[in-house]
């Protein structure tokens, strides 16, 4: 079974990205053929500073490796190292009704937020479809917001196969990433880069403390009994602590006599302990940049071999035969 997913390098990864996606990518790399890529072509629809984009891509690769992606199990690569996807994107666009793209929520939402309505943003789902179809992916783990894009991918593949043959493109299915881990941010809303309420996985200790101390709470005093289930600090603590530790902290909330400052300190300690090994690994990777280069290169070689094979099949199916002189 082929598993594929991509993550956009639009900034540093935060706790929401980890519990909502990355942790599950790591679990899924066992017992399957997994392809994970850093979606830098897609990020170009929003990141227009070349240095920022390049830094984001590198940081994303280091973060993913430090968090447990294992290049011996999964291919980790840059989307743009496989330019064949851009060609498949074009071929798919030739069979895609404009109305199918117009229905996509992600595009409508981004335009509503004020992003310019570039054709790249509009045709974003076709590039995503090409990413998925070029690796003959069976299962695509995505957050709920991306499910529609996988459905659109199936529509495009069905239309393409309708013209050129039932077996040309393999139909993928989505697997919704467990969003019970809908991680709250420092303002108690969903943690998201676009809300500016994130706590990043690899923040410095100092900045981590500052962010945790800034988490919004109600205004109950130290002596008041508190409800852990109505508190972002406790929700976050549950991500890191054992069931026993969770029960102990919940008990202290209910008993009164504990201020939120103490709960925040417990969260800070738990988060540092949880991500300790990853932080250590990340520091090692940062000190040895060659390791990351090698991983990305090897990942791209594996991914590109598969992409070329699919593209040969697709080209042949639609009559784009290589000319004998090329
Ligand atoms: P952001 O909202 O910060 O821009 P992305 O949309 O790039 O994050 O999300 C990348 C992945 O992380 C997606 O699979 C998404 O479902 C997951 N994710 C992001 N934020 C959260 C969150 N607060 N809780 C759970 N999962 C999240
Ligand atoms: N659009 C996805 C997101 O923003 C990233 C992505 C690009 C992707 N291509 C993909 C995800 C292919 C899964 C499969 O989260």
């Amino acid at each position: 079974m082929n598993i594929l997913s991509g993550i956009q390098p639009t900034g540093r990864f935060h706790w929401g990205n980890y519990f909502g996606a990355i942790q599950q990518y790591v679990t899924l790399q066992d017992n399957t053929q997994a392809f994970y890529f850093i979606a830098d072509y897609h990020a170009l629809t929003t990141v227009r500073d070349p240095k920022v984009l390049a830094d984001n891509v590198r940081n994303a690769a280091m973060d993913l490796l430090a968090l447990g992606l294992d290049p011996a199990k999964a291919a980790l690569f840059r989307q743009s190292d496989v330019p064949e996807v851009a060609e498949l994107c074009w071929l798919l666009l030739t069979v895609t009704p404009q109305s199918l793209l117009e229905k996509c929520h992600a595009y409508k939402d981004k335009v509503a937020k004020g992003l310019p309505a570039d054709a790249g943003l509009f045709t974003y789902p076709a590039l995503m479809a090409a990413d998925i179809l070029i690796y003959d992916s069976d299962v695509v783990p995505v957050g709920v917001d991306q499910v529609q894009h996988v459905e659109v991918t199936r529509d495009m593949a069905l239309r393409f196969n309708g013209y050129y043959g039932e077996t040309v493109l393999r139909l993928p299915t989505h697997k919704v990433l467990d969003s019970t881990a809908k991680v709250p941010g420092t303002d108690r809303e969903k943690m998201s880069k676009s809300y500016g309420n994130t706590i990043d996985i690899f923040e410095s200790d100092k900045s981590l403390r500052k962010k945790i101390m800034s988490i919004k709470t109600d205004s109950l005093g130290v002596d008041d009994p508190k409800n852990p289930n109505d508190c972002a600090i406790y929700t976050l603590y549950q991500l890191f602590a054992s069931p026993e530790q969770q029960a102990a902290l919940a008990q202290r909330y209910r008993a009164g006599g504990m201020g939120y400052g103490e709960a925040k300190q417990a969260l800070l300690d738990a988060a540092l302990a949880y991500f300790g090994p990853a932080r250590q690994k990340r520091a090692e990777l940062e000190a040895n940049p060659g390791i990351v280069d090698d991983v990305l290169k090897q990942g791209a070689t594996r991914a590109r071999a598969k992409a070329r094979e699919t593209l040969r099949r697709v080209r042949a199916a639609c009559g784009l035969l290589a000319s004998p002189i090329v």
Side-chain angles (χ1 to χ4, degrees), residues 7 14 16-17 20-21 143 145 177 181-183 190-194:
I7 192 154
H14 53 71
N17 297 142
D145 59 320
L177 290 167
K182 188 171 168 193
V183 179
K190 182 188 173 210
M191 188 179 286
S192 170
K193 281 183 288 275
S194 24

Side-chain angles (χ1 to χ4, degrees), residues 233-293:
I233 308 166
Y234 186 74
T235 308
L236 293 168
Y237 184 75
Q238 285 176 301
L239 299 168
F240 302 113
S242 67
E244 295 73 33
Q245 289 172 314
Q246 293 176 34
L249 188 64
Q251 162 63 24
R252 298 202 57 209
Y253 265 78
R254 293 197 180 97
M258 181 193 72
Y260 286 119
E262 249 185 88
K264 287 176 177 174
Q265 182 64 46
L267 172 61
L268 175 62
D269 294 342
L272 281 173
Y274 188 94
F275 285 125
R279 289 162 83 87
Q280 166 85 33
K281 176 131 196 250
R282 193 167 190 307
E284 284 161 25
L285 290 168
E286 208 152 349
N288 295 287
I291 299 180
V292 180
D293 292 333

Side-chain angles (χ1 to χ4, degrees), residues 16-255:
N17 297 142
Y18 180 73
F19 291 102
I22 299 168
Q23 187 187 44
Q24 297 169 64
Y25 295 164
V26 172
T27 311
L28 287 167
Q29 71 188 348
D30 296 322
N31 312 318
T32 51
Q33 171 61 68
F35 284 96
Y36 294 127
F37 65 92
I38 300 166
D40 52 356
Y41 276 151
H42 276 116
L44 280 174
T45 59
T46 49
V47 183
R48 297 267 157 75
D49 179 324
K51 167 128 181 37
V52 171
L53 183 65
D55 285 352
N56 285 356
V57 170
R58 241 197 126 62
N59 279 321
M62 279 194 276
D63 289 0
L64 291 170
L65 292 172
L67 290 166
L69 270 203
D70 179 354
K73 297 179 181 163
L76 173 66
F77 58 100
R78 269 189 215 103
Q79 183 183 31
S80 62
D81 278 340
V82 188
E84 285 78 6
V85 286
E87 181 174 345
L88 183 58
C89 173
W90 170 253
L91 299 179
L92 292 170
L93 281 171
T94 63
V95 300
T96 303
Q98 174 132 339
S99 57
L100 186 63
L101 297 174
E102 274 163 0
K103 275 192 237 152
C104 289
H105 304 302
Y107 168 74
K108 287 196 278 195
D109 293 351
K110 285 178 184 166
V111 171
K113 273 195 212 146
L115 280 177
D118 297 325
L121 192 59
F122 183 62
T123 52
Y124 180 117
L127 181 58
M128 180 156 163
D131 291 326
I132 295 171
L133 297 169
I134 210 159
Y135 303 109
D136 282 336
S137 311
D138 298 297
V139 177
V140 186
V142 281
V144 238
D145 59 320
Q146 297 293 315
V147 169
Q148 189 190 31
H149 288 158
V150 184
E151 281 163 0
V152 163
T153 300
R154 286 176 64 89
D155 280 354
M156 289 180 189
L158 280 168
R159 291 182 69 87
F160 198 89
N161 286 353
Y163 285 111
Y164 299 118
E166 290 309 312
T167 56
V168 182
L169 293 172
R170 188 182 297 186
L171 291 191
T173 48
H174 64 259
K175 171 179 167 49
V176 182
L177 290 167
D178 181 5
S179 57
T180 45
K182 188 171 168 193
V183 179
T186 50
D187 59 356
R188 301 196 271 185
E189 299 301 322
K190 182 188 173 210
M191 188 179 286
S192 170
K193 281 183 288 275
S194 24
Y195 303 147
N197 62 359
T198 57
I199 305 179
D200 295 347
I201 303 165
F202 296 105
E203 306 258 2
S204 68
D205 292 11
K206 194 169 156 214
S207 141
L208 191 61
R209 163 174 290 278
K210 203 167 150 203
K211 291 253 182 97
I212 289 178
M213 293 303 157
S214 77
I215 296 172
K216 286 214 179 96
T217 60
D218 58 34
S219 51
L220 289 172
V222 174
D223 291 338
D224 297 318
K226 303 175 177 66
N227 179 2
N229 300 321
D230 190 26
C231 177
I233 308 166
Y234 186 74
T235 308
L236 293 168
Y237 184 75
Q238 285 176 301
L239 299 168
F240 302 113
S242 67
E244 295 73 33
Q245 289 172 314
Q246 293 176 34
L249 188 64
Q251 162 63 24
R252 298 202 57 209
Y253 265 78
R254 293 197 180 97

